[in-house]
Amino acid sequence: MPPTTRAAFLLTAGLLCTTAQADTGDIRCFQSPGVGKPLRLAFGFPPEGSKTAYVRYENGSANIPLKLIKSDAVETAPGRPMEITTTWKEMMPGGGTYTVVSQGANVYGFTYIRAKDGKAYQFEQDLEAWEEGGCRWTRR
């Protein structure tokens, strides 16, 4: 294996291990609506102040580490939680981006944009799949 390829492999493997062992914060389950077989993923919201998160697809073999690249907060009404829009980039060459719109514990928008062609995938929260420590998808 060439030295540059080996270095990239070791860096990616290290990031995956670090992400898998890190405090996962709040895990939410999502699925893409309106398609024959929905795409399903778990999104690990990070603990407050952290700039890394992860996603794991239903049939994925590992967590995909994400890096926070943008965060905007808007006050929608006095006394209400701020509406927060965060954008996360997959920490791998050619990785796509995830945009999450939330207010308090509610997630109002979740979009993935694939880097290679710019195709956008909309997701909605899958409350039935959530269980302590992760997501469990059953054939419905």
Side-chain angles (χ1 to χ4, degrees):
M1 185 179 304
T4 54
T5 304
R6 184 170 184 229
F9 172 78
L10 292 173
L11 176 62
T12 302
L15 289 171
L16 291 173
C17 291
T18 301
T19 303
Q21 293 173 358
D23 182 3
T24 57
D26 181 19
I27 298 171
R28 302 290 180 94
C29 309
F30 292 90
Q31 67 178 347
S32 59
V35 295
K37 182 178 183 213
L39 294 172
R40 296 182 174 131
L41 63 86
F43 184 86
F45 283 87
E48 191 170 330
S50 179
K51 297 193 183 314
T52 60
Y54 74 89
V55 294
R56 183 176 193 130
Y57 283 83
E58 176 181 20
N59 295 315
S61 59
N63 293 342
I64 300 171
L66 307 174
K67 179 180 179 183
L68 180 65
I69 58 173
K70 186 177 180 184
S71 181
D72 295 313
V74 176
E75 184 176 5
T76 57
R80 299 266 307 141
M82 301 280 267
E83 180 180 282
I84 300 173
T85 301
T86 54
T87 304
W88 303 88
K89 175 99 171 109
E90 293 176 332
M91 295 188 328
M92 63 177 71
T97 58
Y98 297 83
T99 301
V100 182
V101 179
S102 61
Q103 185 174 28
N106 298 314
V107 176
Y108 294 108
F110 191 97
T111 306
Y112 171 69
I113 299 177
R114 191 167 54 192
K116 73 177 183 178
D117 59 7
K119 183 172 180 179
Y121 295 86
Q122 299 294 322
F123 288 84
E124 60 188 25
Q125 207 164 340
D126 185 359
L127 298 174
E128 294 177 25
W130 185 88
E131 65 179 23
E132 188 78 30
C135 300
R136 176 174 294 213
W137 293 282
T138 57
R139 302 287 175 220
R140 292 181 224 159

